[in-house]
Amino acid sequence: MRFLLLLLLSTFSLFRVQSNSNRDSFWQELKAHREIPAGDSCCSYILQYYFESRFLDFVDSCVSFDSSQLRQNEKILYQLSQGNCLLFGPKKSPDKAYELYLKALADSKLQEDTILQAETLRSLFRYCLFTNQNLEEAKDFISQHKLLAYDWLEALWNQYYQLRLEDQIDRLDGKVDQINSKGWEQLIRECIDSNYQRLLTEIRLVYAVQVGIGGNPSKSIQLNQEAMASSRKFSLKYQEAIQFVAFCNMGAAHMVIHNYNAALLIFQKARTLQVTKQRLGNQSKLYNWISQCYQNLGQNDSAYYYLNRAYETDKADAKEQSGVAIKEIQSKYDNERLGRALVEESLKRKQFNLIASYAGSGLLAVSFLIWLLYDRQRQKTQKIIRELEIANKEIQLTAVNARLDGQEQEKKSLASYLHDHIVGQLVAANMHLKIAGKNQDEESIRKSAELVHDAGIQLRDKSHELYPPVLLKLGLGPALQDLCKKYSNTHLSFQISPEVSGIRLKGDAATKIYFSVQELLNNVTKHSGASECHLHACRDDTRLSISIEDNGKGLAFKENAGEGIGLNTVRSRVESLGGTFQMTNLAQGGLRQEIRVPMAVF
């Protein structure tokens, strides 16, 4: 199993630019590729900021500089640093990061600065290889970097990138256990001979993953221990980040050889690290692995305890991510509301001043001024109404964007799920099969079959969550029937009219209708307080109508109160089909929600 390097960057205070003499002296440290022992001080804040983000895969926060105070080569470093923040920081925007990298490359070429060109090509290679998987472009950037390798250390970095590219190509071709061991070992020896400890540390970590996948867990453990040793020449923060990755790799290697007690000791050490305590995602991964160790040792109570902790940590992490998006939306909404209040207060003051200044004039003049004031007030009111409509649309758009960001988070969650669960099981199954092939071990074959069977079940369940198979096979009507059955419980009964089963519509339009109804039924379950809910559907040659009625407490319509993210998404889906969505409180209590779309979209 491949583990990504999770390193942390502590929150920066606002940096200032120091004198030109300090800039010139520290510029030589850029050429040294940050091969500087722990304790050496940085002389240029922009360069220190760049170094802090250069070797990390996560950035806590981005720092702003006054670009007018920076020289041209420092501006290029600032572009690279901001690109790293957008690629690894809390507000990710890979496309903007890629644009900044390309701009930095163009500017460094204009400056004819070989060092900055090499730095920029290194960032572009990482982006193309690990973010957008554009291997052809990654090859081109490596070739350009090779031509700019101005010293031996830069040449070793280029060899390292070549090996990473070959590894990625083999993985995409399905050759997961094919390793260029000769190339990796030679590169390690050259780094040791040249005393390039930071590059050596990264190479050992990556190579440890390679040999672990290739079926040599003992070698993988040794490489991880050597990586921790070579990291001790740098900062404590860097050492701890390397320790976390190494502990995770070593624990996984012990699990492959069934040494679960040793794996538990290593995972428990990883739990004590600061990098683990500060990241919920790191905690969740460790809890899952610890649960698997206890399960294989037959200690089911402990296995269930840590599995439950992993589940609770995942929920807390997801809640934390969604809370950030909600706070951003609420902040924008509050600003809009405050702006409207200020505009209204300003208009009232102007009206009072105008009336007071002309109060002593004659009746005709007063009448004329009152009419003029009224006309101006009417125009301003119309302008404010238009501005409010625009602001409301922007808020709705922001809400929809937040929902789309949530979908992106779900995709990332799915990718993480497949990586952490399915791939791990398949790799373990592969190891068992290799052992069985050598030793004719029936127990290894049985465990492999169980792992493959469990992986298939998890993949089937996950696919059902993403897209209901009944919608794909039978159409909209049966899918809605199945949805009502799932939502029914002892407190809330969902009833569906018989004619719904005859609606066998499929396609993109049917998918949007299905997920819209799912959102509305979810709202009924969570917020209505109802005990019964009825779903009706009918169609003719021109229109499909779906209505949902419940006997709950209805909906409290408040003036100037916008709809939530879920209802905004439903309305957007329906209107994209040329349809309408309405909600009406019933006289006898409860709420009626109705979707109408033209049949032409199916």
Side-chain angles (χ1 to χ4, degrees):
M1 182 183 297
R2 185 185 183 89
F3 298 99
L4 298 176
L5 179 60
L6 297 174
L7 305 179
L8 296 177
L9 178 64
S10 60
T11 304
F12 290 98
S13 59
L14 184 63
F15 296 108
R16 58 183 177 83
V17 179
Q18 292 190 335
S19 66
N20 288 338
S21 61
N22 285 341
R23 292 170 172 172
D24 294 334
S25 63
F26 196 69
W27 200 255
Q28 297 303 316
E29 297 186 14
L30 175 62
K31 190 175 180 180
H33 300 274
R34 193 51 168 153
E35 292 288 345
I36 307 167
D40 285 13
S41 60
C42 295
C43 303
S44 169
Y45 285 113
I46 180 64
L47 203 53
Q48 181 183 10
Y49 175 43
Y50 171 67
F51 282 146
E52 291 288 354
S53 66
R54 175 179 170 183
F55 294 98
L56 301 178
D57 286 342
F58 191 92
V59 178
D60 281 325
S61 61
C62 298
V63 179
S64 297
F65 291 91
D66 182 2
S67 59
S68 64
Q69 300 296 319
L70 302 177
R71 297 188 300 183
Q72 184 58 39
N73 48 16
E74 291 176 331
K75 289 181 180 179
I76 296 173
L77 274 185
Y78 185 38
Q79 290 172 351
L80 290 176
S81 302
Q82 294 301 88
N84 293 340
C85 287
L86 291 171
L87 195 59
F88 305 118
K91 295 183 179 179
K92 290 180 173 55
S93 180
D95 292 340
K96 291 183 180 179
Y98 182 57
E99 292 176 4
L100 283 170
Y101 291 153
L102 291 178
K103 179 68 166 56
L105 180 61
D107 291 345
S108 61
K109 287 181 178 179
L110 288 176
Q111 292 290 311
E112 297 182 352
D113 192 318
T114 303
I115 297 176
L116 285 178
Q117 289 183 57
E119 294 290 319
T120 307
L121 288 169
R122 194 179 298 115
S123 297
L124 284 166
F125 166 75
R126 286 201 308 171
Y127 171 84
C128 292
L129 189 62
F130 302 116
T131 300
N132 71 344
Q133 299 286 308
N134 190 334
L135 300 186
E136 290 300 322
E137 199 170 14
K139 287 181 183 178
D140 179 58
F141 290 134
I142 291 178
S143 299
Q144 294 183 49
H145 180 269
K146 187 175 183 180
L147 297 175
L148 294 171
Y150 49 83
D151 60 14
W152 180 235
L153 177 56
E154 194 70 27
L156 292 180
W157 274 102
N158 189 267
Q159 293 179 35
Y160 169 63
Y161 296 146
Q162 290 281 2
L163 289 173
R164 295 297 300 269
L165 179 61
E166 292 173 7
D167 170 61
Q168 194 73 359
I169 293 174
D170 288 339
R171 291 191 178 286
L172 294 177
D173 290 341
K175 304 173 183 177
V176 295
D177 54 354
Q178 181 170 319
I179 308 171
N180 185 359
S181 299
K182 184 178 179 180
W184 286 103
E185 296 287 352
Q186 177 64 26
L187 187 56
I188 288 175
R189 286 194 296 272
E190 291 175 345
C191 287
I192 293 174
D193 292 341
S194 303
N195 197 28
Y196 294 144
Q197 297 297 318
R198 187 183 289 275
L199 177 58
L200 177 62
T201 299
E202 184 168 345
I203 291 172
R204 281 170 168 167
L205 279 180
V206 175
Y207 187 35
V209 175
Q210 306 294 336
V211 297
I213 295 174
N216 193 346
S218 298
K219 177 68 173 178
S220 176
I221 293 171
Q222 176 189 344
L223 285 166
N224 280 292
Q225 291 172 338
E226 292 173 349
M228 288 191 291
S230 58
S231 71
R232 295 192 183 110
K233 294 190 176 182
F234 301 97
S235 68
L236 291 176
K237 183 168 53 180
Y238 183 77
Q239 292 179 47
E240 189 171 277
I242 296 299
Q243 286 176 355
F244 175 77
V245 179
F247 283 153
C248 291
N249 290 342
M250 292 165 62
H254 279 297
M255 290 177 69
V256 170
I257 58 178
H258 310 299
N259 193 352
Y260 299 112
N261 286 316
L264 277 174
L265 291 175
I266 291 175
F267 288 143
Q268 294 293 358
K269 286 183 181 179
R271 286 184 59 198
T272 65
L273 297 175
Q274 197 67 22
V275 66
T276 306
K277 298 175 181 178
Q278 293 176 347
R279 299 286 169 224
L280 292 175
N282 293 350
Q283 295 176 31
S284 175
K285 286 183 174 64
L286 285 174
Y287 290 149
N288 269 309
W289 292 326
I290 292 172
S291 174
Q292 292 175 27
C293 289
Y294 278 121
Q295 183 179 4
N296 284 288
L297 291 172
Q299 300 180 28
N300 294 327
D301 290 343
S302 297
Y304 174 76
Y305 170 76
Y306 280 102
L307 184 63
N308 187 60
R309 291 197 67 175
Y311 172 73
E312 294 296 333
T313 306
D314 278 335
K315 284 200 324 185
D317 191 25
K319 184 178 180 180
E320 182 179 286
Q321 296 297 328
S322 62
V324 172
I326 292 173
K327 286 180 180 178
E328 290 180 358
I329 296 172
Q330 185 64 41
S331 176
K332 292 181 179 179
Y333 173 76
D334 291 341
N335 289 337
E336 293 289 344
R337 185 171 58 181
L338 179 60
R340 290 196 299 268
L342 292 174
V343 169
E344 292 173 357
E345 180 65 24
S346 177
L347 289 174
K348 289 179 180 179
R349 289 178 181 175
K350 290 180 180 180
Q351 181 181 9
F352 175 79
N353 292 336
L354 285 172
I355 293 174
S357 64
Y358 291 101
S361 302
L363 181 59
L364 182 60
V366 171
S367 300
F368 175 75
L369 289 175
I370 291 175
W371 175 85
L372 180 61
L373 180 63
Y374 168 77
D375 186 62
R376 291 180 61 186
Q377 183 67 30
R378 180 179 60 82
Q379 293 179 10
K380 290 181 179 180
T381 301
Q382 291 177 349
K383 181 180 179 181
I384 291 173
I385 291 174
R386 290 194 297 269
E387 291 176 349
L388 290 176
E389 290 175 349
I390 294 173
N392 187 48
K393 289 181 179 179
E394 290 178 352
I395 292 173
Q396 292 180 2
L397 179 60
T398 302
V400 172
N401 287 336
R403 186 59 176 263
L404 294 176
D405 289 342
Q407 294 174 354
E408 289 298 321
Q409 186 64 30
E410 291 177 359
K411 292 179 182 178
K412 293 177 183 177
S413 177
L414 173 60
S416 176
Y417 177 87
L418 294 176
H419 181 275
D420 294 342
H421 297 278
I422 307 303
V423 173
Q425 288 184 316
L426 294 179
V427 168
N430 182 38
M431 292 298 303
H432 284 304
L433 289 174
K434 286 185 177 181
I435 295 171
K438 294 179 181 178
N439 305 327
Q440 298 297 318
D441 187 350
E442 293 184 359
E443 179 64 13
S444 294
I445 295 176
R446 182 186 65 78
K447 289 184 177 180
S448 299
E450 290 178 355
L451 289 169
V452 173
H453 176 71
D454 292 342
I457 293 176
Q458 293 181 30
L459 282 173
R460 182 197 63 195
D461 294 341
K462 180 59 67 173
S463 67
H464 286 186
E465 292 179 14
L466 295 174
Y467 196 96
V470 66
L471 176 61
L472 182 64
K473 295 179 180 179
L474 302 180
L476 180 60
L480 293 180
Q481 287 180 316
D482 183 64
L483 195 61
C484 287
K485 290 180 181 178
K486 290 180 179 178
Y487 275 95
S488 292
N489 54 57
T490 56
H491 302 289
L492 176 57
S493 172
F494 284 88
Q495 305 295 328
I496 188 166
S497 57
E499 61 270 14
V500 174
S501 61
I503 301 175
R504 299 300 181 97
L505 300 173
K506 298 181 179 180
D508 292 341
T511 301
K512 290 183 178 180
I513 296 299
Y514 173 84
F515 285 111
S516 296
V517 173
Q518 185 183 50
E519 179 65 29
L520 298 179
L521 294 183
N522 187 51
N523 287 344
V524 171
T525 303
K526 290 183 177 180
H527 308 300
S528 70
S531 60
E532 293 182 359
C533 181
H534 298 271
L535 188 148
H536 305 275
C538 63
R539 70 167 182 176
D540 52 27
D541 295 335
T542 61
R543 184 173 65 183
L544 169 68
S545 298
I546 298 176
S547 64
I548 301 170
E549 296 183 3
D550 64 70
N551 64 347
K553 58 187 178 183
L555 187 65
F557 294 96
K558 298 180 179 179
E559 186 177 358
N560 297 327
E563 296 176 344
I565 294 175
L567 291 178
N568 268 316
T569 304
V570 171
R571 191 175 299 281
S572 298
R573 284 174 176 158
V574 174
E575 290 180 353
S576 70
L577 299 175
T580 60
F581 169 60
Q582 294 181 335
M583 296 184 294
T584 307
N585 282 327
L586 301 176
Q588 68 273 22
L591 181 68
R592 174 184 175 87
Q593 305 175 83
E594 186 172 21
I595 295 174
R596 296 182 180 181
V597 294
M599 290 298 297
V601 300
F602 295 97

